[in-house]
PDB file of all heavy atoms in Angstrom:
ATOM      1  N   LYS A 225      25.796  31.971   1.569  1.00 92.00           N
ATOM      2  CA  LYS A 225      27.217  31.776   2.192  1.00 92.00           C
ATOM      3  C   LYS A 225      27.814  30.496   1.561  1.00 92.00           C
ATOM      4  O   LYS A 225      28.925  30.343   1.116  1.00 92.00           O
ATOM      5  CB  LYS A 225      27.258  31.792   3.639  1.00 92.00           C
ATOM      6  CG  LYS A 225      28.659  31.779   4.181  1.00 92.00           C
ATOM      7  CD  LYS A 225      28.691  31.806   5.669  1.00 92.00           C
ATOM      8  CE  LYS A 225      30.165  31.894   6.175  1.00 92.00           C
ATOM      9  NZ  LYS A 225      30.133  31.830   7.655  1.00 92.00           N
ATOM     10  N   ASP A 226      26.913  29.467   1.583  1.00 92.00           N
ATOM     11  CA  ASP A 226      27.393  28.137   1.076  1.00 92.00           C
ATOM     12  C   ASP A 226      27.621  28.212  -0.490  1.00 92.00           C
ATOM     13  O   ASP A 226      28.651  27.596  -1.035  1.00 92.00           O
ATOM     14  CB  ASP A 226      26.390  27.096   1.312  1.00 92.00           C
ATOM     15  CG  ASP A 226      26.176  26.855   2.772  1.00 92.00           C
ATOM     16  OD1 ASP A 226      27.165  26.900   3.565  1.00 92.00           O
ATOM     17  OD2 ASP A 226      25.088  26.781   3.377  1.00 92.00           O
ATOM     18  N   LEU A 227      26.813  28.943  -1.170  1.00 94.00           N
ATOM     19  CA  LEU A 227      27.048  29.099  -2.664  1.00 94.00           C
ATOM     20  C   LEU A 227      28.306  29.785  -2.897  1.00 94.00           C
ATOM     21  O   LEU A 227      29.032  29.474  -3.880  1.00 94.00           O
ATOM     22  CB  LEU A 227      25.809  29.859  -3.243  1.00 94.00           C
ATOM     23  CG  LEU A 227      24.588  29.005  -3.360  1.00 94.00           C
ATOM     24  CD1 LEU A 227      23.470  29.931  -3.826  1.00 94.00           C
ATOM     25  CD2 LEU A 227      24.708  27.890  -4.331  1.00 94.00           C
ATOM     26  N   PHE A 228      28.577  30.887  -2.029  1.00 94.00           N
ATOM     27  CA  PHE A 228      29.933  31.597  -2.360  1.00 94.00           C
ATOM     28  C   PHE A 228      31.052  30.636  -2.024  1.00 94.00           C
ATOM     29  O   PHE A 228      32.113  30.709  -2.786  1.00 94.00           O
ATOM     30  CB  PHE A 228      30.000  32.790  -1.474  1.00 94.00           C
ATOM     31  CG  PHE A 228      29.322  34.068  -2.023  1.00 94.00           C
ATOM     32  CD1 PHE A 228      28.258  34.656  -1.291  1.00 94.00           C
ATOM     33  CD2 PHE A 228      29.761  34.617  -3.197  1.00 94.00           C
ATOM     34  CE1 PHE A 228      27.633  35.765  -1.879  1.00 94.00           C
ATOM     35  CE2 PHE A 228      29.133  35.719  -3.732  1.00 94.00           C
ATOM     36  CZ  PHE A 228      28.075  36.294  -3.055  1.00 94.00           C
ATOM     37  N   ARG A 229      30.949  29.777  -1.095  1.00 94.00           N
ATOM     38  CA  ARG A 229      32.000  28.808  -0.872  1.00 94.00           C
ATOM     39  C   ARG A 229      32.131  27.813  -2.044  1.00 94.00           C
ATOM     40  O   ARG A 229      33.171  27.495  -2.586  1.00 94.00           O
ATOM     41  CB  ARG A 229      31.771  28.138   0.487  1.00 94.00           C
ATOM     42  CG  ARG A 229      32.891  27.204   0.816  1.00 94.00           C
ATOM     43  CD  ARG A 229      32.835  26.639   2.315  1.00 94.00           C
ATOM     44  NE  ARG A 229      31.507  25.940   2.452  1.00 94.00           N
ATOM     45  CZ  ARG A 229      30.709  26.284   3.348  1.00 94.00           C
ATOM     46  NH1 ARG A 229      30.871  27.386   4.071  1.00 94.00           N
ATOM     47  NH2 ARG A 229      29.520  25.718   3.492  1.00 94.00           N
ATOM     48  N   GLN A 230      30.917  27.266  -2.395  1.00 93.00           N
ATOM     49  CA  GLN A 230      30.986  26.156  -3.496  1.00 93.00           C
ATOM     50  C   GLN A 230      31.316  26.618  -4.821  1.00 93.00           C
ATOM     51  O   GLN A 230      32.146  26.107  -5.553  1.00 93.00           O
ATOM     52  CB  GLN A 230      29.558  25.582  -3.609  1.00 93.00           C
ATOM     53  CG  GLN A 230      29.226  24.645  -2.321  1.00 93.00           C
ATOM     54  CD  GLN A 230      27.620  24.451  -2.301  1.00 93.00           C
ATOM     55  OE1 GLN A 230      26.938  24.618  -3.309  1.00 93.00           O
ATOM     56  NE2 GLN A 230      27.186  24.126  -1.095  1.00 93.00           N
ATOM     57  N   LEU A 231      30.796  27.864  -5.146  1.00 91.00           N
ATOM     58  CA  LEU A 231      30.951  28.364  -6.545  1.00 91.00           C
ATOM     59  C   LEU A 231      32.176  29.217  -6.703  1.00 91.00           C
ATOM     60  O   LEU A 231      32.771  29.373  -7.798  1.00 91.00           O
ATOM     61  CB  LEU A 231      29.743  29.181  -7.053  1.00 91.00           C
ATOM     62  CG  LEU A 231      28.408  28.312  -6.985  1.00 91.00           C
ATOM     63  CD1 LEU A 231      27.305  29.295  -7.227  1.00 91.00           C
ATOM     64  CD2 LEU A 231      28.401  27.195  -8.067  1.00 91.00           C
ATOM     65  N   ARG A 232      32.620  29.913  -5.697  1.00 90.00           N
ATOM     66  CA  ARG A 232      33.659  30.856  -5.831  1.00 90.00           C
ATOM     67  C   ARG A 232      34.894  30.528  -4.864  1.00 90.00           C
ATOM     68  O   ARG A 232      35.904  31.137  -4.945  1.00 90.00           O
ATOM     69  CB  ARG A 232      33.210  32.243  -5.374  1.00 90.00           C
ATOM     70  CG  ARG A 232      32.069  32.852  -6.197  1.00 90.00           C
ATOM     71  CD  ARG A 232      32.522  33.477  -7.383  1.00 90.00           C
ATOM     72  NE  ARG A 232      31.415  34.026  -8.192  1.00 90.00           N
ATOM     73  CZ  ARG A 232      30.738  35.070  -7.914  1.00 90.00           C
ATOM     74  NH1 ARG A 232      31.194  35.958  -6.939  1.00 90.00           N
ATOM     75  NH2 ARG A 232      29.734  35.543  -8.622  1.00 90.00           N
ATOM     76  N   GLY A 233      34.691  29.545  -4.032  1.00 90.00           N
ATOM     77  CA  GLY A 233      35.758  29.242  -3.137  1.00 90.00           C
ATOM     78  C   GLY A 233      36.011  30.302  -1.966  1.00 90.00           C
ATOM     79  O   GLY A 233      37.184  30.384  -1.414  1.00 90.00           O
ATOM     80  N   ILE A 234      34.995  31.135  -1.759  1.00 92.00           N
ATOM     81  CA  ILE A 234      35.115  32.124  -0.751  1.00 92.00           C
ATOM     82  C   ILE A 234      34.757  31.587   0.641  1.00 92.00           C
ATOM     83  O   ILE A 234      33.475  31.407   0.859  1.00 92.00           O
ATOM     84  CB  ILE A 234      34.339  33.456  -1.176  1.00 92.00           C
ATOM     85  CG1 ILE A 234      34.937  34.004  -2.444  1.00 92.00           C
ATOM     86  CG2 ILE A 234      34.380  34.471  -0.062  1.00 92.00           C
ATOM     87  CD1 ILE A 234      34.079  35.108  -3.047  1.00 92.00           C
ATOM     88  N   GLU A 235      35.621  31.550   1.514  1.00 91.00           N
ATOM     89  CA  GLU A 235      35.298  31.038   2.991  1.00 91.00           C
ATOM     90  C   GLU A 235      34.747  32.137   3.829  1.00 91.00           C
ATOM     91  O   GLU A 235      33.794  32.057   4.550  1.00 91.00           O
ATOM     92  CB  GLU A 235      36.461  30.242   3.473  1.00 91.00           C
ATOM     93  CG  GLU A 235      36.775  28.982   2.813  1.00 91.00           C
ATOM     94  CD  GLU A 235      35.790  27.819   3.042  1.00 91.00           C
ATOM     95  OE1 GLU A 235      35.091  27.929   4.035  1.00 91.00           O
ATOM     96  OE2 GLU A 235      35.872  26.861   2.247  1.00 91.00           O
ATOM     97  N   THR A 236      35.598  33.191   3.855  1.00 92.00           N
ATOM     98  CA  THR A 236      35.349  34.286   4.679  1.00 92.00           C
ATOM     99  C   THR A 236      35.455  35.604   4.093  1.00 92.00           C
ATOM    100  O   THR A 236      36.138  35.741   3.069  1.00 92.00           O
ATOM    101  CB  THR A 236      36.246  34.238   5.994  1.00 92.00           C
ATOM    102  OG1 THR A 236      37.616  34.283   5.433  1.00 92.00           O
ATOM    103  CG2 THR A 236      35.976  33.123   6.912  1.00 92.00           C
ATOM    104  N   LEU A 237      34.830  36.622   4.512  1.00 94.00           N
ATOM    105  CA  LEU A 237      35.003  37.976   3.991  1.00 94.00           C
ATOM    106  C   LEU A 237      36.237  38.717   4.627  1.00 94.00           C
ATOM    107  O   LEU A 237      36.479  38.444   5.688  1.00 94.00           O
ATOM    108  CB  LEU A 237      33.668  38.750   4.275  1.00 94.00           C
ATOM    109  CG  LEU A 237      32.654  38.753   3.164  1.00 94.00           C
ATOM    110  CD1 LEU A 237      32.127  37.410   3.077  1.00 94.00           C
ATOM    111  CD2 LEU A 237      31.487  39.717   3.480  1.00 94.00           C
ATOM    112  N   TYR A 238      36.752  39.643   3.906  1.00 94.00           N
ATOM    113  CA  TYR A 238      37.756  40.475   4.410  1.00 94.00           C
ATOM    114  C   TYR A 238      37.090  41.403   5.494  1.00 94.00           C
ATOM    115  O   TYR A 238      35.896  41.714   5.270  1.00 94.00           O
ATOM    116  CB  TYR A 238      38.402  41.333   3.335  1.00 94.00           C
ATOM    117  CG  TYR A 238      39.222  40.585   2.276  1.00 94.00           C
ATOM    118  CD1 TYR A 238      39.052  40.803   0.877  1.00 94.00           C
ATOM    119  CD2 TYR A 238      40.229  39.569   2.665  1.00 94.00           C
ATOM    120  CE1 TYR A 238      39.668  40.023  -0.009  1.00 94.00           C
ATOM    121  CE2 TYR A 238      40.924  38.879   1.757  1.00 94.00           C
ATOM    122  CZ  TYR A 238      40.690  39.083   0.386  1.00 94.00           C
ATOM    123  OH  TYR A 238      41.350  38.412  -0.548  1.00 94.00           O
ATOM    124  N   GLU A 239      37.940  41.905   6.411  1.00 95.00           N
ATOM    125  CA  GLU A 239      37.451  42.848   7.453  1.00 95.00           C
ATOM    126  C   GLU A 239      36.752  43.956   6.825  1.00 95.00           C
ATOM    127  O   GLU A 239      35.651  44.457   7.272  1.00 95.00           O
ATOM    128  CB  GLU A 239      38.554  43.246   8.417  1.00 95.00           C
ATOM    129  CG  GLU A 239      38.047  43.857   9.629  1.00 95.00           C
ATOM    130  CD  GLU A 239      39.159  44.341  10.521  1.00 95.00           C
ATOM    131  OE1 GLU A 239      40.291  43.759  10.433  1.00 95.00           O
ATOM    132  OE2 GLU A 239      38.997  45.215  11.328  1.00 95.00           O
ATOM    133  N   TRP A 240      37.353  44.602   5.814  1.00 95.00           N
ATOM    134  CA  TRP A 240      36.794  45.814   5.259  1.00 95.00           C
ATOM    135  C   TRP A 240      35.417  45.535   4.582  1.00 95.00           C
ATOM    136  O   TRP A 240      34.530  46.371   4.645  1.00 95.00           O
ATOM    137  CB  TRP A 240      37.790  46.533   4.225  1.00 95.00           C
ATOM    138  CG  TRP A 240      37.680  45.841   2.804  1.00 95.00           C
ATOM    139  CD1 TRP A 240      38.411  44.970   2.314  1.00 95.00           C
ATOM    140  CD2 TRP A 240      36.705  46.197   1.781  1.00 95.00           C
ATOM    141  NE1 TRP A 240      38.064  44.545   1.022  1.00 95.00           N
ATOM    142  CE2 TRP A 240      37.000  45.382   0.659  1.00 95.00           C
ATOM    143  CE3 TRP A 240      35.571  47.059   1.653  1.00 95.00           C
ATOM    144  CZ2 TRP A 240      36.278  45.433  -0.532  1.00 95.00           C
ATOM    145  CZ3 TRP A 240      34.836  47.081   0.491  1.00 95.00           C
ATOM    146  CH2 TRP A 240      35.176  46.264  -0.607  1.00 95.00           C
ATOM    147  N   GLN A 241      35.240  44.335   4.026  1.00 96.00           N
ATOM    148  CA  GLN A 241      33.989  43.894   3.345  1.00 96.00           C
ATOM    149  C   GLN A 241      32.918  43.892   4.383  1.00 96.00           C
ATOM    150  O   GLN A 241      31.763  44.371   4.191  1.00 96.00           O
ATOM    151  CB  GLN A 241      34.214  42.579   2.629  1.00 96.00           C
ATOM    152  CG  GLN A 241      35.125  42.652   1.336  1.00 96.00           C
ATOM    153  CD  GLN A 241      35.399  41.357   0.804  1.00 96.00           C
ATOM    154  OE1 GLN A 241      35.506  40.305   1.507  1.00 96.00           O
ATOM    155  NE2 GLN A 241      35.558  41.300  -0.523  1.00 96.00           N
ATOM    156  N   HIS A 242      33.277  43.301   5.539  1.00 95.00           N
ATOM    157  CA  HIS A 242      32.386  43.207   6.661  1.00 95.00           C
ATOM    158  C   HIS A 242      31.877  44.595   7.089  1.00 95.00           C
ATOM    159  O   HIS A 242      30.665  44.945   7.254  1.00 95.00           O
ATOM    160  CB  HIS A 242      32.900  42.418   7.848  1.00 95.00           C
ATOM    161  CG  HIS A 242      32.051  42.453   8.992  1.00 95.00           C
ATOM    162  ND1 HIS A 242      30.847  41.659   9.182  1.00 95.00           N
ATOM    163  CD2 HIS A 242      32.135  43.066  10.172  1.00 95.00           C
ATOM    164  CE1 HIS A 242      30.316  41.838  10.355  1.00 95.00           C
ATOM    165  NE2 HIS A 242      30.971  42.751  10.992  1.00 95.00           N
ATOM    166  N   ASP A 243      32.918  45.483   7.299  1.00 95.00           N
ATOM    167  CA  ASP A 243      32.704  46.784   7.724  1.00 95.00           C
ATOM    168  C   ASP A 243      31.749  47.543   6.811  1.00 95.00           C
ATOM    169  O   ASP A 243      30.808  48.302   7.170  1.00 95.00           O
ATOM    170  CB  ASP A 243      33.967  47.542   7.926  1.00 95.00           C
ATOM    171  CG  ASP A 243      34.832  47.024   9.111  1.00 95.00           C
ATOM    172  OD1 ASP A 243      34.259  46.305   9.855  1.00 95.00           O
ATOM    173  OD2 ASP A 243      36.022  47.404   9.158  1.00 95.00           O
ATOM    174  N   CYS A 244      31.998  47.451   5.477  1.00 96.00           N
ATOM    175  CA  CYS A 244      31.265  48.132   4.473  1.00 96.00           C
ATOM    176  C   CYS A 244      29.725  47.664   4.455  1.00 96.00           C
ATOM    177  O   CYS A 244      28.979  48.450   4.411  1.00 96.00           O
ATOM    178  CB  CYS A 244      32.020  47.857   3.092  1.00 96.00           C
ATOM    179  SG  CYS A 244      31.230  48.866   1.835  1.00 96.00           S
ATOM    180  N   LEU A 245      29.655  46.344   4.570  1.00 95.00           N
ATOM    181  CA  LEU A 245      28.227  45.816   4.532  1.00 95.00           C
ATOM    182  C   LEU A 245      27.486  46.192   5.767  1.00 95.00           C
ATOM    183  O   LEU A 245      26.247  46.241   5.730  1.00 95.00           O
ATOM    184  CB  LEU A 245      28.278  44.353   4.408  1.00 95.00           C
ATOM    185  CG  LEU A 245      28.687  43.749   3.028  1.00 95.00           C
ATOM    186  CD1 LEU A 245      29.058  42.242   3.113  1.00 95.00           C
ATOM    187  CD2 LEU A 245      27.543  43.949   1.991  1.00 95.00           C
TER     188      LEU A 245
END
Side-chain angles (χ1 to χ4, degrees):
K225 187 177 182 181
D226 297 321
L227 286 172
F228 276 118
R229 184 171 57 243
Q230 291 161 20
L231 302 172
R232 302 276 179 80
I234 296 168
E235 292 286 343
T236 52
L237 269 64
Y238 296 130
E239 191 181 339
W240 83 262
Q241 291 172 325
H242 173 77
D243 293 346
C244 187
L245 287 165

